[in-house]
Amino acid sequence: MTTEVTDIGVGTIRTGLLGGGFMARVHTAAARAAGADLVGVATSTAAGGAAAARDLGYRRAGSDAAALLADGDIDVVHVCTPNTTHAGLARAALLAGVHVVCEKPLATSVDDARALVVLAQERGLVGAVPFVYRYHPMIREARARVAQGEIGAVLTVDAAYLQDWMLLPSDDDWRADGDAGGPSRAFADIGSHLFDLIEFVSGQRVTRVSARTRRVYDRRGDDRVVRNEDIAAVMFDLASGAVGTALISQMAAGRKNALTLELHGARRSVRFEQERPEELWIGDRISSQLLLRDPATASADAARIQRVPAGHPMGYQDAFDAFVIDAYAAIRGGAPEGLPTFADGLRAAVLTDAVLASAAADSWIEVPA
């Protein structure tokens, strides 16, 4: 049976939610900022669904994702459930004729991610993945300057994404369990964000990787068996021949969400730090400058996603809001610049697979284009 896709046009987007944790709150705040009608939420238990509906402002709740998708009164569903459930829930939504915003990883295997890309295309539905760091205006500014040749040919990349929330053996989370989190944790969870930015800002694909991974503790918390990595160190090449290094760790004491990206060009360098999102460092041989966010002087793409004047700080939730606004614009038929789609979720799965394969083989691995 073929499910008809509703023509939304300029109408209000009717939103459903799967999951009730921290990311569900972030997604809901962004959907509300985009003017959505918060229709329904489903979690793994009826009590959890009722609590999420009450706390987040959805009109109804339940514990049955299939029922939420089958009711026919939602246009888009946000999937914010454990990693290994993403692919199945996204597929069910697409088959029901519902657009999907799916937390990363889109899928824990390349084959599942590729199947979702194909299905979304066949159904004419929008599938978006929140690689939201693309929506920091100074990332867009860096991307524009690289594309315009301002820094010259990219020579090297220095990147890192460091956190400390899994530093102690008592630190535990469902993501450490392979059955819920999947075969990769540090890279799939945060390294995927970092490599999405590397390719997005440089405008180039990573062509090969040489990776080392480390699992520091085999057991965490109340004797949970850990099946994925805490740390990944990756050397990589870009298509132009530029070389790069990236360190990803969820065990870097004192680092809360330290995503940094520095590109060194033949003329200048640019550096972005996610914990200082209002700034872009630009260095050259004679002098360096710290460029502050200002829509009046920004590139067109960076100015487009700035919602407040210079001097009024924008942060993570603002970036997430801008992503969801773009995703909903795509649902209405638009084509927003830089919207991360299921194709980008597939790319993250391909890179994750290459990193794990490289670490297992202790060798360089070519990354499929």
mmCIF file with all atom_site columns, all heavy atoms in Angstrom, residues 6 15 55 57 69 76 81 140 163 169 182 199 219 261 289 313 325:
data_model
loop_
_atom_site.group_PDB
_atom_site.id
_atom_site.type_symbol
_atom_site.label_atom_id
_atom_site.label_alt_id
_atom_site.label_comp_id
_atom_site.label_asym_id
_atom_site.label_entity_id
_atom_site.label_seq_id
_atom_site.pdbx_PDB_ins_code
_atom_site.Cartn_x
_atom_site.Cartn_y
_atom_site.Cartn_z
_atom_site.occupancy
_atom_site.B_iso_or_equiv
_atom_site.pdbx_formal_charge
_atom_site.auth_seq_id
_atom_site.auth_comp_id
_atom_site.auth_asym_id
_atom_site.auth_atom_id
_atom_site.pdbx_PDB_model_num
ATOM 1   N N   . THR A 1 6   ? 0.956  14.376 2.551  1.00 0.00 ? 6   THR A N   1
ATOM 2   C CA  . THR A 1 6   ? 0.149  15.590 2.602  1.00 0.00 ? 6   THR A CA  1
ATOM 3   C C   . THR A 1 6   ? 0.947  16.787 2.100  1.00 0.00 ? 6   THR A C   1
ATOM 4   O O   . THR A 1 6   ? 2.120  16.951 2.438  1.00 0.00 ? 6   THR A O   1
ATOM 5   C CB  . THR A 1 6   ? -0.307 15.857 4.053  1.00 0.00 ? 6   THR A CB  1
ATOM 6   O OG1 . THR A 1 6   ? -1.033 14.731 4.512  1.00 0.00 ? 6   THR A OG1 1
ATOM 7   C CG2 . THR A 1 6   ? -1.196 17.078 4.124  1.00 0.00 ? 6   THR A CG2 1
ATOM 8   N N   . THR A 1 15  ? 3.730  17.926 14.666 1.00 0.00 ? 15  THR A N   1
ATOM 9   C CA  . THR A 1 15  ? 4.935  17.224 15.086 1.00 0.00 ? 15  THR A CA  1
ATOM 10  C C   . THR A 1 15  ? 4.642  16.123 16.094 1.00 0.00 ? 15  THR A C   1
ATOM 11  O O   . THR A 1 15  ? 3.880  16.309 17.041 1.00 0.00 ? 15  THR A O   1
ATOM 12  C CB  . THR A 1 15  ? 5.931  18.226 15.703 1.00 0.00 ? 15  THR A CB  1
ATOM 13  O OG1 . THR A 1 15  ? 6.340  19.150 14.684 1.00 0.00 ? 15  THR A OG1 1
ATOM 14  C CG2 . THR A 1 15  ? 7.161  17.523 16.260 1.00 0.00 ? 15  THR A CG2 1
ATOM 15  N N   . ASP A 1 55  ? 5.423  17.455 30.541 1.00 0.00 ? 55  ASP A N   1
ATOM 16  C CA  . ASP A 1 55  ? 6.579  18.335 30.720 1.00 0.00 ? 55  ASP A CA  1
ATOM 17  C C   . ASP A 1 55  ? 6.923  19.113 29.451 1.00 0.00 ? 55  ASP A C   1
ATOM 18  O O   . ASP A 1 55  ? 7.413  20.246 29.531 1.00 0.00 ? 55  ASP A O   1
ATOM 19  C CB  . ASP A 1 55  ? 7.795  17.521 31.164 1.00 0.00 ? 55  ASP A CB  1
ATOM 20  C CG  . ASP A 1 55  ? 7.609  16.900 32.543 1.00 0.00 ? 55  ASP A CG  1
ATOM 21  O OD1 . ASP A 1 55  ? 6.693  17.332 33.268 1.00 0.00 ? 55  ASP A OD1 1
ATOM 22  O OD2 . ASP A 1 55  ? 8.379  15.970 32.872 1.00 0.00 ? 55  ASP A OD2 1
ATOM 23  N N   . GLY A 1 57  ? 4.765  19.530 26.654 1.00 0.00 ? 57  GLY A N   1
ATOM 24  C CA  . GLY A 1 57  ? 3.668  20.273 26.057 1.00 0.00 ? 57  GLY A CA  1
ATOM 25  C C   . GLY A 1 57  ? 2.992  19.616 24.868 1.00 0.00 ? 57  GLY A C   1
ATOM 26  O O   . GLY A 1 57  ? 2.368  20.300 24.051 1.00 0.00 ? 57  GLY A O   1
ATOM 27  N N   . LEU A 1 69  ? 2.378  6.851  14.717 1.00 0.00 ? 69  LEU A N   1
ATOM 28  C CA  . LEU A 1 69  ? 2.611  7.039  13.288 1.00 0.00 ? 69  LEU A CA  1
ATOM 29  C C   . LEU A 1 69  ? 1.366  6.737  12.463 1.00 0.00 ? 69  LEU A C   1
ATOM 30  O O   . LEU A 1 69  ? 1.164  7.324  11.397 1.00 0.00 ? 69  LEU A O   1
ATOM 31  C CB  . LEU A 1 69  ? 3.758  6.124  12.838 1.00 0.00 ? 69  LEU A CB  1
ATOM 32  C CG  . LEU A 1 69  ? 5.133  6.423  13.444 1.00 0.00 ? 69  LEU A CG  1
ATOM 33  C CD1 . LEU A 1 69  ? 6.123  5.317  13.077 1.00 0.00 ? 69  LEU A CD1 1
ATOM 34  C CD2 . LEU A 1 69  ? 5.645  7.774  12.981 1.00 0.00 ? 69  LEU A CD2 1
ATOM 35  N N   . VAL A 1 76  ? 5.558  15.202 10.706 1.00 0.00 ? 76  VAL A N   1
ATOM 36  C CA  . VAL A 1 76  ? 6.961  14.861 10.931 1.00 0.00 ? 76  VAL A CA  1
ATOM 37  C C   . VAL A 1 76  ? 7.106  14.248 12.309 1.00 0.00 ? 76  VAL A C   1
ATOM 38  O O   . VAL A 1 76  ? 6.398  14.625 13.249 1.00 0.00 ? 76  VAL A O   1
ATOM 39  C CB  . VAL A 1 76  ? 7.867  16.108 10.801 1.00 0.00 ? 76  VAL A CB  1
ATOM 40  C CG1 . VAL A 1 76  ? 7.504  17.179 11.826 1.00 0.00 ? 76  VAL A CG1 1
ATOM 41  C CG2 . VAL A 1 76  ? 9.349  15.741 10.927 1.00 0.00 ? 76  VAL A CG2 1
ATOM 42  N N   . THR A 1 81  ? 15.324 8.223  20.368 1.00 0.00 ? 81  THR A N   1
ATOM 43  C CA  . THR A 1 81  ? 15.361 6.977  21.127 1.00 0.00 ? 81  THR A CA  1
ATOM 44  C C   . THR A 1 81  ? 16.779 6.407  21.096 1.00 0.00 ? 81  THR A C   1
ATOM 45  O O   . THR A 1 81  ? 17.662 6.954  20.428 1.00 0.00 ? 81  THR A O   1
ATOM 46  C CB  . THR A 1 81  ? 14.366 5.986  20.503 1.00 0.00 ? 81  THR A CB  1
ATOM 47  O OG1 . THR A 1 81  ? 14.685 5.839  19.107 1.00 0.00 ? 81  THR A OG1 1
ATOM 48  C CG2 . THR A 1 81  ? 12.937 6.467  20.647 1.00 0.00 ? 81  THR A CG2 1
ATOM 49  N N   . ARG A 1 140 ? 29.471 28.687 9.440  1.00 0.00 ? 140 ARG A N   1
ATOM 50  C CA  . ARG A 1 140 ? 29.095 29.089 8.087  1.00 0.00 ? 140 ARG A CA  1
ATOM 51  C C   . ARG A 1 140 ? 30.059 30.150 7.548  1.00 0.00 ? 140 ARG A C   1
ATOM 52  O O   . ARG A 1 140 ? 30.375 30.174 6.359  1.00 0.00 ? 140 ARG A O   1
ATOM 53  C CB  . ARG A 1 140 ? 27.652 29.617 8.066  1.00 0.00 ? 140 ARG A CB  1
ATOM 54  C CG  . ARG A 1 140 ? 26.605 28.594 8.467  1.00 0.00 ? 140 ARG A CG  1
ATOM 55  C CD  . ARG A 1 140 ? 26.422 27.525 7.410  1.00 0.00 ? 140 ARG A CD  1
ATOM 56  N NE  . ARG A 1 140 ? 25.455 26.524 7.813  1.00 0.00 ? 140 ARG A NE  1
ATOM 57  C CZ  . ARG A 1 140 ? 24.340 26.220 7.155  1.00 0.00 ? 140 ARG A CZ  1
ATOM 58  N NH1 . ARG A 1 140 ? 24.046 26.850 6.033  1.00 0.00 ? 140 ARG A NH1 1
ATOM 59  N NH2 . ARG A 1 140 ? 23.530 25.279 7.590  1.00 0.00 ? 140 ARG A NH2 1
ATOM 60  N N   . GLN A 1 163 ? 35.187 15.384 25.645 1.00 0.00 ? 163 GLN A N   1
ATOM 61  C CA  . GLN A 1 163 ? 34.242 15.453 26.753 1.00 0.00 ? 163 GLN A CA  1
ATOM 62  C C   . GLN A 1 163 ? 34.801 14.653 27.927 1.00 0.00 ? 163 GLN A C   1
ATOM 63  O O   . GLN A 1 163 ? 35.749 13.881 27.758 1.00 0.00 ? 163 GLN A O   1
ATOM 64  C CB  . GLN A 1 163 ? 32.885 14.861 26.341 1.00 0.00 ? 163 GLN A CB  1
ATOM 65  C CG  . GLN A 1 163 ? 32.206 15.565 25.185 1.00 0.00 ? 163 GLN A CG  1
ATOM 66  C CD  . GLN A 1 163 ? 30.928 14.870 24.750 1.00 0.00 ? 163 GLN A CD  1
ATOM 67  O OE1 . GLN A 1 163 ? 30.766 13.658 24.909 1.00 0.00 ? 163 GLN A OE1 1
ATOM 68  N NE2 . GLN A 1 163 ? 29.998 15.637 24.180 1.00 0.00 ? 163 GLN A NE2 1
ATOM 69  N N   . PRO A 1 169 ? 35.068 5.088  36.206 1.00 0.00 ? 169 PRO A N   1
ATOM 70  C CA  . PRO A 1 169 ? 34.438 3.776  35.997 1.00 0.00 ? 169 PRO A CA  1
ATOM 71  C C   . PRO A 1 169 ? 32.999 3.734  36.490 1.00 0.00 ? 169 PRO A C   1
ATOM 72  O O   . PRO A 1 169 ? 32.208 2.905  36.035 1.00 0.00 ? 169 PRO A O   1
ATOM 73  C CB  . PRO A 1 169 ? 35.332 2.818  36.779 1.00 0.00 ? 169 PRO A CB  1
ATOM 74  C CG  . PRO A 1 169 ? 36.126 3.666  37.710 1.00 0.00 ? 169 PRO A CG  1
ATOM 75  C CD  . PRO A 1 169 ? 36.270 4.993  37.052 1.00 0.00 ? 169 PRO A CD  1
ATOM 76  N N   . GLY A 1 182 ? 25.114 0.581  20.019 1.00 0.00 ? 182 GLY A N   1
ATOM 77  C CA  . GLY A 1 182 ? 25.734 0.218  18.756 1.00 0.00 ? 182 GLY A CA  1
ATOM 78  C C   . GLY A 1 182 ? 27.211 -0.071 18.899 1.00 0.00 ? 182 GLY A C   1
ATOM 79  O O   . GLY A 1 182 ? 27.801 0.063  19.975 1.00 0.00 ? 182 GLY A O   1
ATOM 80  N N   . GLU A 1 199 ? 34.246 17.941 6.702  1.00 0.00 ? 199 GLU A N   1
ATOM 81  C CA  . GLU A 1 199 ? 33.871 17.890 5.290  1.00 0.00 ? 199 GLU A CA  1
ATOM 82  C C   . GLU A 1 199 ? 33.027 19.094 4.888  1.00 0.00 ? 199 GLU A C   1
ATOM 83  O O   . GLU A 1 199 ? 33.161 19.614 3.774  1.00 0.00 ? 199 GLU A O   1
ATOM 84  C CB  . GLU A 1 199 ? 33.131 16.585 5.001  1.00 0.00 ? 199 GLU A CB  1
ATOM 85  C CG  . GLU A 1 199 ? 34.018 15.354 5.168  1.00 0.00 ? 199 GLU A CG  1
ATOM 86  C CD  . GLU A 1 199 ? 33.424 14.081 4.596  1.00 0.00 ? 199 GLU A CD  1
ATOM 87  O OE1 . GLU A 1 199 ? 32.172 13.994 4.483  1.00 0.00 ? 199 GLU A OE1 1
ATOM 88  O OE2 . GLU A 1 199 ? 34.199 13.160 4.243  1.00 0.00 ? 199 GLU A OE2 1
ATOM 89  N N   . ARG A 1 219 ? 33.980 -2.656 32.093 1.00 0.00 ? 219 ARG A N   1
ATOM 90  C CA  . ARG A 1 219 ? 32.714 -2.638 32.824 1.00 0.00 ? 219 ARG A CA  1
ATOM 91  C C   . ARG A 1 219 ? 32.526 -1.268 33.449 1.00 0.00 ? 219 ARG A C   1
ATOM 92  O O   . ARG A 1 219 ? 33.493 -0.631 33.874 1.00 0.00 ? 219 ARG A O   1
ATOM 93  C CB  . ARG A 1 219 ? 32.666 -3.725 33.913 1.00 0.00 ? 219 ARG A CB  1
ATOM 94  C CG  . ARG A 1 219 ? 32.686 -5.142 33.340 1.00 0.00 ? 219 ARG A CG  1
ATOM 95  C CD  . ARG A 1 219 ? 32.617 -6.206 34.420 1.00 0.00 ? 219 ARG A CD  1
ATOM 96  N NE  . ARG A 1 219 ? 32.667 -7.538 33.857 1.00 0.00 ? 219 ARG A NE  1
ATOM 97  C CZ  . ARG A 1 219 ? 31.594 -8.232 33.459 1.00 0.00 ? 219 ARG A CZ  1
ATOM 98  N NH1 . ARG A 1 219 ? 30.388 -7.696 33.602 1.00 0.00 ? 219 ARG A NH1 1
ATOM 99  N NH2 . ARG A 1 219 ? 31.716 -9.444 32.949 1.00 0.00 ? 219 ARG A NH2 1
ATOM 100 N N   . LEU A 1 261 ? 37.903 22.992 15.561 1.00 0.00 ? 261 LEU A N   1
ATOM 101 C CA  . LEU A 1 261 ? 38.248 22.704 14.168 1.00 0.00 ? 261 LEU A CA  1
ATOM 102 C C   . LEU A 1 261 ? 39.149 23.812 13.659 1.00 0.00 ? 261 LEU A C   1
ATOM 103 O O   . LEU A 1 261 ? 38.770 24.986 13.688 1.00 0.00 ? 261 LEU A O   1
ATOM 104 C CB  . LEU A 1 261 ? 36.988 22.622 13.311 1.00 0.00 ? 261 LEU A CB  1
ATOM 105 C CG  . LEU A 1 261 ? 37.198 22.451 11.797 1.00 0.00 ? 261 LEU A CG  1
ATOM 106 C CD1 . LEU A 1 261 ? 37.920 21.148 11.498 1.00 0.00 ? 261 LEU A CD1 1
ATOM 107 C CD2 . LEU A 1 261 ? 35.866 22.513 11.067 1.00 0.00 ? 261 LEU A CD2 1
ATOM 108 N N   . GLN A 1 289 ? 43.557 37.740 13.816 1.00 0.00 ? 289 GLN A N   1
ATOM 109 C CA  . GLN A 1 289 ? 42.407 38.497 14.297 1.00 0.00 ? 289 GLN A CA  1
ATOM 110 C C   . GLN A 1 289 ? 41.355 37.552 14.841 1.00 0.00 ? 289 GLN A C   1
ATOM 111 O O   . GLN A 1 289 ? 41.294 36.381 14.468 1.00 0.00 ? 289 GLN A O   1
ATOM 112 C CB  . GLN A 1 289 ? 41.805 39.347 13.180 1.00 0.00 ? 289 GLN A CB  1
ATOM 113 C CG  . GLN A 1 289 ? 41.252 38.548 12.010 1.00 0.00 ? 289 GLN A CG  1
ATOM 114 C CD  . GLN A 1 289 ? 40.501 39.401 11.002 1.00 0.00 ? 289 GLN A CD  1
ATOM 115 O OE1 . GLN A 1 289 ? 39.621 40.171 11.380 1.00 0.00 ? 289 GLN A OE1 1
ATOM 116 N NE2 . GLN A 1 289 ? 40.848 39.269 9.731  1.00 0.00 ? 289 GLN A NE2 1
ATOM 117 N N   . PRO A 1 313 ? 24.512 36.877 22.599 1.00 0.00 ? 313 PRO A N   1
ATOM 118 C CA  . PRO A 1 313 ? 25.115 35.566 22.318 1.00 0.00 ? 313 PRO A CA  1
ATOM 119 C C   . PRO A 1 313 ? 24.128 34.533 21.785 1.00 0.00 ? 313 PRO A C   1
ATOM 120 O O   . PRO A 1 313 ? 22.986 34.435 22.247 1.00 0.00 ? 313 PRO A O   1
ATOM 121 C CB  . PRO A 1 313 ? 25.672 35.137 23.683 1.00 0.00 ? 313 PRO A CB  1
ATOM 122 C CG  . PRO A 1 313 ? 25.879 36.411 24.424 1.00 0.00 ? 313 PRO A CG  1
ATOM 123 C CD  . PRO A 1 313 ? 24.781 37.322 23.979 1.00 0.00 ? 313 PRO A CD  1
ATOM 124 N N   . ILE A 1 325 ? 14.154 24.676 11.939 1.00 0.00 ? 325 ILE A N   1
ATOM 125 C CA  . ILE A 1 325 ? 13.486 25.625 11.042 1.00 0.00 ? 325 ILE A CA  1
ATOM 126 C C   . ILE A 1 325 ? 13.782 25.278 9.582  1.00 0.00 ? 325 ILE A C   1
ATOM 127 O O   . ILE A 1 325 ? 12.885 25.274 8.729  1.00 0.00 ? 325 ILE A O   1
ATOM 128 C CB  . ILE A 1 325 ? 13.910 27.067 11.369 1.00 0.00 ? 325 ILE A CB  1
ATOM 129 C CG1 . ILE A 1 325 ? 13.273 27.510 12.697 1.00 0.00 ? 325 ILE A CG1 1
ATOM 130 C CG2 . ILE A 1 325 ? 13.533 28.031 10.251 1.00 0.00 ? 325 ILE A CG2 1
ATOM 131 C CD1 . ILE A 1 325 ? 13.828 28.810 13.245 1.00 0.00 ? 325 ILE A CD1 1
#
